[in-house]
Amino acid sequence: MQISLSDWREVDGQEQTVTESELWDSVTFQGQTIGFKGPVQLSFHLTSSGSSLLVRGEIVAEMELTCSRCTAPFVQPVRYKVSEIIPLNPDDDPDGYWTSLFLDQETDELDLSEFSLMVLLENFPLQPLCRRDCRGLCTVCGQDLNQGDCDCATDQIDPRWAKLGQLLEKGKK
Ligand SMILES: [Zn+2]
Ligand SMILES: [Zn+2]
């Protein structure tokens, strides 16, 4: 989604709603491949103050991730609200954040797709889990413990109870 900034300069109070469904290629982030199932829905309401552009709206996507415990692929639906004030003149963007990351200076177009991708990645979990209580893989034989226990699992203590076991040991002494 490209927004031509020249349409928004010096037009105080101009408003517009822009929506788009986009198909995104998968990206690599922190060593993980992130895919997108179906289109990413972008809907923003733009308001100009003449010197800046207020962008409010939301990003809705289904991210295809890999579980950090059991390595199974899974789909994570996400919805993020966005509210940003974007300077319309490079002079008002002293650290060059918008200008360098999302603005094509030749065409004077702001790339809201690129910006939306950054929002998704900023909120990306460091260790994605297919479900909160994913049991992961057996460290001995590699079996996916969500599918059932393996033979080596029998004499292993659930880490959640190991602590309790230690406390009980201490109490005995
Ligand atoms: Zn998992
Ligand atoms: Zn095992």
Side-chain angles (χ1 to χ4, degrees):
M1 178 187 278
Q2 308 286 335
I3 304 295
S4 178
L5 288 190
S6 49
D7 297 345
W8 293 90
R9 288 197 186 94
E10 321 298 335
V11 280
D12 198 356
Q14 175 170 282
E15 292 185 43
Q16 192 188 345
T17 299
V18 286
T19 57
E20 225 156 275
S21 295
E22 298 184 340
L23 293 172
W24 287 5
D25 291 333
S26 53
V27 293
T28 304
F29 181 67
Q30 293 177 345
Q32 303 184 57
T33 302
I34 302 165
F36 298 95
K37 183 170 179 270
V40 177
Q41 315 279 349
L42 306 177
S43 56
F44 299 116
H45 188 74
L46 313 177
T47 313
S48 174
S49 75
S51 62
S52 63
L53 185 63
L54 173 63
V55 177
R56 297 175 68 182
E58 64 176 14
I59 306 160
V60 180
E62 289 193 307
M63 297 171 88
E64 293 177 321
L65 307 176
T66 304
C67 179
S68 60
R69 270 186 210 155
C70 72
T71 71
F74 68 100
V75 173
Q76 176 82 57
V78 293
R79 177 185 292 263
Y80 292 115
K81 294 246 181 264
V82 167
S83 180
E84 294 283 340
I85 295 171
I86 300 168
L88 285 172
N89 301 303
D91 292 347
D92 298 332
D93 186 22
D95 54 6
Y97 175 75
W98 291 99
T99 316
S100 62
L101 290 181
F102 308 113
L103 182 68
D104 182 331
Q105 300 202 48
E106 258 171 50
T107 60
D108 199 25
E109 283 180 330
L110 190 72
D111 191 340
L112 284 184
S113 304
E114 195 65 30
F115 165 71
S116 301
L117 175 62
M118 191 210 64
V119 172
L120 295 191
L121 296 183
E122 269 185 350
N123 288 282
F124 186 72
L126 283 176
Q127 293 181 312
L129 293 178
C130 62
R131 56 184 213 220
R132 220 177 332 163
D133 60 349
C134 170
R135 299 179 64 204
L137 304 178
C138 170
T139 50
V140 180
C141 72
Q143 165 152 330
D144 183 347
L145 298 174
N146 297 314
Q147 316 274 4
D149 287 331
C150 56
D151 291 336
C152 16
T154 47
D155 54 349
Q156 278 177 4
I157 302 171
D158 185 319
R160 281 170 298 182
W161 297 112
K163 193 93 186 168
L164 183 64
Q166 283 166 12
L167 289 174
L168 289 174
E169 282 298 313
K170 261 189 204 159
K172 275 187 210 160
K173 280 172 203 164

